[in-house]
Amino acid sequence: MAVGPCEWDEEAGHGLVGRDTELERILRGSGPVQGASPRGLLLLGEEGIGRTRLLRAAREQAGRRGALVLSAHGWAGDRERPYAGVCQLLASIAEEIGVLPELHQQVLGAVVTGTPGPSLPDPPAVQGAVLLLLRHLAADRPVLVTVDDVQDCDRASVDLIGTVLRHLGDGVSVLLAARGEAAPTGLPTEVGVMHLPPLSPGAAAALLDAQPGAPRGRRRLELLGEAQGNPLALLELCRLAQPDVERMLPGNRRPRHPLPRHGVEDVLAALPAGTQGALLHAAIADLGEDVATVTTAAGAQDLGVWAPAEAAGIVTVTDRRVWFRHPLMRRAVGARQPAQSRRAAYLNLAEAAVAPASRARYLAAAALGPDESIAGALEAAARDSQNAFTAAAALEEAARLSPDARDRARRLAEALSAAHLVGDADWVTDLYRDFTRSGGDAGQACVAAAVMSTALSLSSLQQEALDLLLDVSERACPDGGSEALALALVGAAVTDQSARPEHRGHMRALFARTDHEARPPVRGAGPLSRLGTSEAASALHACVSVVATPDSSATRLLRRLDPPRLGPLPDTPDQLVRRLAVAWVAYRADEPDTCLRQYRKADAQLRARQALGLRAWSLAPMADTLLATGLWAEAETLLREGSGDAAVLGQSRVRADLDALTLTLSALRGQAILPSSGTEANWRALDLAENRATHARILRARALAAVVHGDWSSAYREFRMLFDADGSPLHPFLSPISVADLASVALRTGRLADAARVLVQVRDQQGERPTARMTRLLHHAAALLEPDGDPEEHFQLAVVNPEGERWPWERSRARLGYGIWLRRARRPLEAREQFTAALQLAEGLGAVPLAAAVRAELRASGVGAAAEPEGALAELTAQQRQIVTLAAGGLSNREIGERLYLSPRTVGTHLYNIYPKLGVSRRHQLRSLLTEVELGAG
């Protein structure tokens, strides 16, 4: 039995970050389903990964839910003391021993008092007495037994825990934790194992940012990479990064280096001198440096130099790399040596390095002052790098080592552009501040301002971003050049995000200074100018035109562009920018096929290069398109990955967009959830008046969530806020796509006249030739809001063209509306045809609420209802019902097996047998079935 419901209080984790999934699994029960083998779960992980904290959170939650919690902690010093761990478990319930038969009281009394020598009871007697006591305790309430660091427990206690796991049934759960990758000897094979992985990048960033004085910018990203998701490493490295770290330690002491556990200094000091030297070189070398390079740099003759360190558990040598077993160990090894020794090691690595880029980085680390030869080598390495972070860091170091002020300014401008690709606004801000002090020329100033404005925009500061663009445009930007186009392009992105009318006026001023002939930009004027073919310039000019001149037709502009090819070779910078520009114009032209083809090709390259700052601009448009075209699984992956990246990079506006789209996806699928408190707090922190695109996505997400909850009044209010009081769209592109949804909810709430005024404004704003998608949405809305016209003609125009299949959810909604109109017009056969087509689309999407609504209309039109799902579910076993619930929640067979301690094949067999009983044939239909049961129960 579980120790309590799977839900928990938000404050219960006491700062537990990034472990919701693991905590949920523990709280669902520390073992298999009822009626199966005894419950037990072993948490495994490296030191500092969070086992103890997760164990504590589970204990606190179990106690809140009414469970009796018995706890123990293994100590290496108690290994030779029999039953030391058992004594800890019994300490809080010693008075309960008195309810046992006298013989069992005597046995446990001897254990608790710790009587030494041969007078200790036999293990079977102790095990039997403990089992009887636990059964007695479990008769009143659930019991959770937790043991931390079980690998350090005495053998007698471990054997007893094994007996408990083998012989107890319902009522008692056992939760263990151990350091390492393998279960300690002595535990039964029946115990389930949960390997605690490193924190996700987003969770690691959240934990780091919650610390006092946490680093920012480049240092923050480096620290996150160094910690590798280990919470202890994050906290320790953050503490060591503080300039006043000595004030944070007892006794006003500054540690020389961090150590992951006691005794490591002695272990390191005991290693042979050659091995210590090799470890120093490995600790300061680039991550993943070839072991041959490190070995040669250390002056060793062969790989035998690593054997003592491997035997001591400090490193592993595999795949031609030297891997430290713990993130803090790498830092400890490097920090224990004096600076002169580290400098000598860097010089050794530079001499041994094969790659010029590695050699340049090692020489830079050893440099004692400016050196143009090293700066030039770093600059060349940055240009050849396929990793945005590596390039930006190299260019920043090159600027630092530049003796000439002009070279320093130029390299800072280059570093700014590279850091923009990385996407960390704080790093860009630091570099921009350094650049403004360097006295760069006018062209560099334009590039720097454009980059800084993108960082401000990604951080939601649209007004500040536009002010900077306008200022530099007046002061330093010549008309018609590549710099003018760069400023206009960033201005277009800012204006599209803000959607404020006054910003559009400023945008037109920037647009007027560009070269409308789209001639190739002049080479050498700055980093952005290298993205300089006429095809790329034409595509960028089209992006600007879509925003700056509302009368411009994105469809017409798209036809003039030549989309880049989709071959296997990577893009040049010119081609990549051109591809992103074409994808965005296609997005605004409602051409999803072109949009997704170009975005997918670009997205794969941006991820490979870790160019997450540039990728941030494409995430929301790409996710919008995936949701609209029914590619929800792909959208879910994109949103999950993008949200994690945005959290790491501190892109508050991007994260707000993706949170809104994640809620939208949940609502479309029928998952009746509300935004988390953290999500709502992030939304409130934004100035939505400056970020109308984000506001529009939030409003639509809230409206769709309200529909799932049946709160039609709230749904109408949220949809209506997508338009001003007179019906003008809040955002020129994102608001109109909800006009049919507004009409549908208006029909339910009796607000047809108000919604009709919005329709008039939207129709006027779309002009004479709206996109094919908007044409269908306008006809759908008109069919609902203009009863005096010809509703059937509008419905037919909304559903008849097969091209509408590209937007399956919207098409299914239109068919549902048409079917309802036909049924009310007493044309049931035609209505059923529309309902059947709508149901097929909705079920194919996994759109549970929509499918349920269509089925209800089918029944109302006279189609015989299928067997009641409640009865079919009641015929399943308890385990089969749990499998159905988990499968309906989107878990794979492997994930279900991990939850229930079954093999994936067994889960598949169960589902194969379950489907016919429930009258379904596909996995996604389970979600619809369970929703119907819940609606029926409500």
Side-chain angles (χ1 to χ4, degrees):
M1 60 182 291
V3 298
C6 63
E7 295 81 8
W8 58 86
D9 300 330
E10 291 186 3
E11 70 276 7
H14 293 294
L16 192 67
V17 175
R19 295 300 187 195
D20 288 355
T21 299
E22 291 86 352
L23 187 56
E24 179 185 5
R25 177 177 170 186
I26 292 170
L27 294 178
R28 285 184 182 275
S30 300
V33 296
Q34 186 172 357
S37 57
R39 296 170 174 272
L41 187 62
L42 171 65
L43 308 181
L44 289 176
E46 65 182 6
E47 186 158 359
I49 202 66
R51 303 182 315 274
T52 297
R53 175 156 288 216
L54 186 57
L55 209 65
R56 182 190 312 149
R59 289 198 302 265
E60 292 171 353
Q61 282 295 333
R64 285 189 179 90
R65 303 305 183 188
L68 172 65
V69 180
L70 309 179
S71 301
H73 194 291
W75 301 101
D78 285 340
R79 285 178 181 170
E80 303 305 319
R81 178 187 163 203
Y83 298 115
V86 175
C87 289
Q88 294 182 55
L89 291 174
L90 299 180
S92 63
I93 53 168
E95 67 280 2
E96 298 287 346
I97 296 176
V99 305
L100 300 178
E102 185 174 353
L103 178 61
H104 292 93
Q105 291 185 43
Q106 294 174 357
V107 169
L108 294 185
V111 169
V112 172
T113 56
T115 304
S119 59
L120 273 177
D122 291 336
V126 178
Q127 293 166 4
V130 171
L131 285 173
L132 185 62
L133 177 60
L134 291 176
R135 290 192 181 106
H136 163 73
L137 296 172
D140 295 328
R141 54 175 171 162
V143 176
L144 175 64
V145 178
T146 72
V147 182
D148 197 5
D149 281 336
V150 69
Q151 79 282 346
D152 290 332
C153 280
D154 61 278
R155 174 53 51 197
S157 294
V158 173
D159 291 342
L160 187 142
I161 292 169
T163 300
V164 170
L165 287 166
R166 291 187 187 96
H167 297 290
L168 273 182
D170 258 353
V172 179
S173 299
V174 178
L175 181 59
L176 312 173
R179 184 174 61 245
E181 299 177 357
T185 58
L187 293 179
T189 57
E190 294 90 342
V191 67
V193 176
M194 178 192 294
H195 291 273
L196 289 184
L199 293 177
S200 68
L207 178 60
L208 177 60
D209 293 342
Q211 306 312 308
R216 52 188 289 278
R218 173 184 168 183
R219 183 67 194 107
R220 174 177 174 274
L221 297 179
E222 290 173 334
L223 194 152
L224 286 169
E226 185 178 358
Q228 299 175 35
N230 183 286
L232 175 64
L234 276 169
L235 299 180
E236 181 70 3
L237 293 174
C238 178
R239 183 177 63 81
L240 292 171
Q242 305 301 318
D244 57 347
V245 65
E246 67 276 4
R247 284 184 246 152
M248 304 172 65
L249 299 177
N252 199 36
R253 293 177 292 108
R254 175 190 285 272
R256 289 182 58 213
H257 49 78
L259 293 176
R261 64 175 184 268
H262 299 298
V264 170
E265 173 62 29
D266 294 336
V267 172
L268 292 173
L271 293 172
T275 300
Q276 292 190 45
L279 285 175
L280 171 61
H281 286 75
I284 65 175
D286 292 343
L287 285 175
E289 181 66 88
D290 189 277
V291 66
T293 300
V294 180
T295 304
T296 301
Q301 301 300 314
D302 55 46
L303 296 181
V305 71
W306 303 105
E310 286 190 285
I314 296 171
V315 298
T316 298
V317 179
T318 182
D319 297 331
R320 299 185 57 82
R321 303 289 186 269
V322 180
W323 306 103
F324 282 87
R325 293 287 187 91
H326 194 280
L328 287 179
M329 188 68 74
R330 181 186 184 96
R331 172 66 75 91
V333 168
R336 68 189 295 269
Q337 299 294 337
Q340 185 60 30
S341 296
R342 295 196 300 273
R343 182 173 184 271
Y346 277 121
L347 292 173
N348 293 338
L349 286 164
E351 184 177 354
V354 176
S358 296
R359 186 181 305 116
R361 285 193 294 272
Y362 295 140
L363 288 173
L368 299 177
D371 188 315
E372 178 56 31
S373 64
I374 298 176
L378 286 170
E379 184 176 7
R383 286 177 176 160
D384 293 337
S385 176
Q386 295 300 307
N387 181 280
F389 180 89
T390 302
L395 286 165
E396 185 176 15
E397 289 302 300
R400 180 180 64 84
L401 294 172
S402 299
D404 184 79
R406 288 173 299 179
D407 287 335
R408 184 172 187 271
R410 175 176 54 80
R411 286 164 177 157
L412 280 172
E414 297 271 2
L416 258 171
S417 292
H420 153 62
L421 297 181
V422 175
D424 187 282
D426 287 332
W427 191 4
V428 171
T429 301
D430 292 340
L431 288 169
Y432 184 72
R433 182 178 57 248
D434 291 343
F435 171 80
T436 57
R437 296 169 179 168
S438 70
D441 63 29
Q444 294 163 358
C446 289
V447 170
V451 169
M452 186 65 223
S453 293
T454 63
L456 291 169
S457 180
L458 291 175
S459 300
S460 79
L461 303 174
Q462 311 309 323
Q463 185 64 58
E464 191 172 345
L466 192 59
D467 288 344
L468 178 59
L469 292 172
L470 294 171
D471 176 66
V472 77
S473 176
E474 290 297 325
R475 288 189 299 103
C477 184
D479 289 348
S482 57
E483 295 87 353
L485 180 57
L487 294 179
L489 179 66
V490 177
V494 171
T495 302
D496 183 65
Q497 170 62 21
S498 74
R500 297 182 65 165
E502 63 272 25
H503 287 185
R504 192 175 303 280
H506 294 313
M507 178 63 239
R508 291 194 188 98
L510 291 173
F511 184 52
R513 303 191 65 174
T514 63
D515 185 347
H516 289 232
E517 298 300 320
R519 59 180 173 83
V522 178
R523 302 275 176 171
L528 293 181
S529 68
R530 288 202 297 273
L531 311 177
T533 64
S534 58
E535 293 85 356
S538 296
L540 295 176
H541 196 277
C543 289
V544 178
S545 182
V546 168
V547 178
T549 56
D551 294 337
S552 296
S553 167
T555 302
R556 184 177 66 255
L557 291 168
L558 182 64
R559 292 196 191 104
R560 296 176 181 174
L561 300 177
D562 182 19
R565 296 182 180 180
L566 300 169
L569 296 178
D571 289 331
T572 64
D574 290 355
Q575 291 171 327
L576 181 57
V577 168
R578 178 178 156 216
R579 191 179 303 282
L580 287 167
V582 169
W584 190 81
V585 175
Y587 165 67
R588 292 298 293 261
D590 280 327
E591 291 294 339
D593 297 336
T594 301
C595 174
L596 290 178
R597 280 197 300 267
Q598 298 299 331
Y599 267 143
R600 284 173 177 142
K601 170 80 173 177
D603 193 66
Q605 297 177 82
L606 294 174
R607 284 187 286 112
R609 299 178 188 182
Q610 290 294 292
L612 304 178
L614 188 55
R615 186 184 187 226
W617 293 94
S618 65
L619 286 172
M622 188 176 177
D624 280 337
T625 308
L626 290 170
L627 292 176
T629 54
L631 300 172
W632 292 354
E634 185 179 351
E636 183 176 25
T637 300
L638 181 75
L639 291 168
R640 182 176 62 251
E641 293 176 352
S643 295
D645 293 338
V648 170
L649 296 169
Q651 296 168 342
S652 56
R653 189 263 288 176
V654 178
R655 192 173 183 184
D657 274 324
L658 301 185
D659 284 344
L661 292 169
T662 299
L663 179 60
T664 297
L665 176 58
S666 298
L668 293 174
R669 284 175 164 171
Q671 298 164 347
I673 61 171
L674 294 174
S676 68
S677 58
T679 295
E680 287 284 5
N682 290 338
W683 289 347
R684 287 193 299 270
L686 294 181
D687 184 349
L688 295 178
E690 280 192 26
N691 294 272
R692 293 188 177 188
T694 299
H695 194 192
R697 291 189 176 101
I698 292 172
L699 290 171
R700 178 170 170 80
R702 285 174 170 163
L704 291 171
V707 169
V708 174
H709 289 277
D711 186 353
W712 301 104
S713 179
S714 294
Y716 185 82
R717 183 178 65 251
E718 301 290 347
F719 276 132
R720 185 61 180 84
M721 288 174 66
L722 285 165
F723 306 90
D724 293 340
D726 65 352
S728 301
L730 177 72
H731 188 276
F733 178 74
L734 295 173
S735 292
I737 61 175
S738 292
V739 66
D741 299 311
L742 175 72
S744 179
V745 178
L747 196 63
R748 281 183 170 268
T749 55
R751 301 177 185 180
L752 296 178
D754 182 47
R757 286 193 295 272
V758 172
L759 175 60
V760 171
Q761 288 290 337
V762 172
R763 188 181 283 146
D764 181 65
Q765 179 249 2
Q766 290 295 307
E768 295 181 358
R769 302 191 66 179
T771 66
R773 179 190 183 191
M774 275 308 306
T775 297
R776 288 165 179 77
L777 291 172
L778 289 170
H779 280 302
H780 184 187
L784 299 173
L785 298 176
E786 298 176 351
D788 296 335
D790 190 343
E792 183 167 17
E793 181 181 5
H794 284 302
F795 272 128
Q796 289 177 346
L797 291 171
V799 303
V800 69
N801 194 326
E803 188 181 0
E805 299 289 347
R806 293 190 293 173
W807 300 279
W809 189 81
E810 294 168 3
R811 189 170 179 82
S812 179
R813 293 263 297 162
R815 287 192 178 279
L816 172 61
Y818 188 22
I820 293 173
W821 185 89
L822 289 169
R823 179 176 62 78
R824 291 174 178 171
R826 300 180 183 275
R827 294 157 63 180
L829 294 179
E830 295 171 84
R832 292 171 198 168
E833 181 181 347
Q834 295 299 324
F835 291 145
T836 301
L839 183 61
Q840 183 178 4
L841 288 170
E843 288 185 337
L845 290 170
V848 175
L850 183 55
V854 176
R855 289 193 193 95
E857 291 297 333
L858 272 170
R859 288 192 291 270
S861 66
V863 176
E868 290 297 321
E870 295 91 336
L873 282 172
E875 296 178 1
L876 303 180
T877 67
Q879 188 178 67
Q880 287 176 327
R881 286 195 296 273
Q882 194 163 10
I883 289 173
V884 167
T885 300
L886 295 175
L891 272 67
S892 66
N893 287 1
R894 181 176 297 278
E895 291 170 327
I896 295 172
E898 290 175 354
R899 293 278 185 98
L900 305 183
Y901 305 93
L902 301 172
S903 71
R905 178 173 294 182
T906 300
V907 174
T909 301
H910 277 300
L911 289 172
Y912 179 81
N913 294 325
I914 288 169
Y915 285 169
K917 296 179 182 179
L918 298 182
V920 301
S921 58
R922 297 180 182 179
R923 198 183 196 94
H924 70 262
Q925 293 173 311
L926 294 174
R927 190 184 299 118
S928 300
L929 182 140
L930 292 183
T931 299
E932 286 190 49
V933 172
E934 293 171 1
L935 292 174

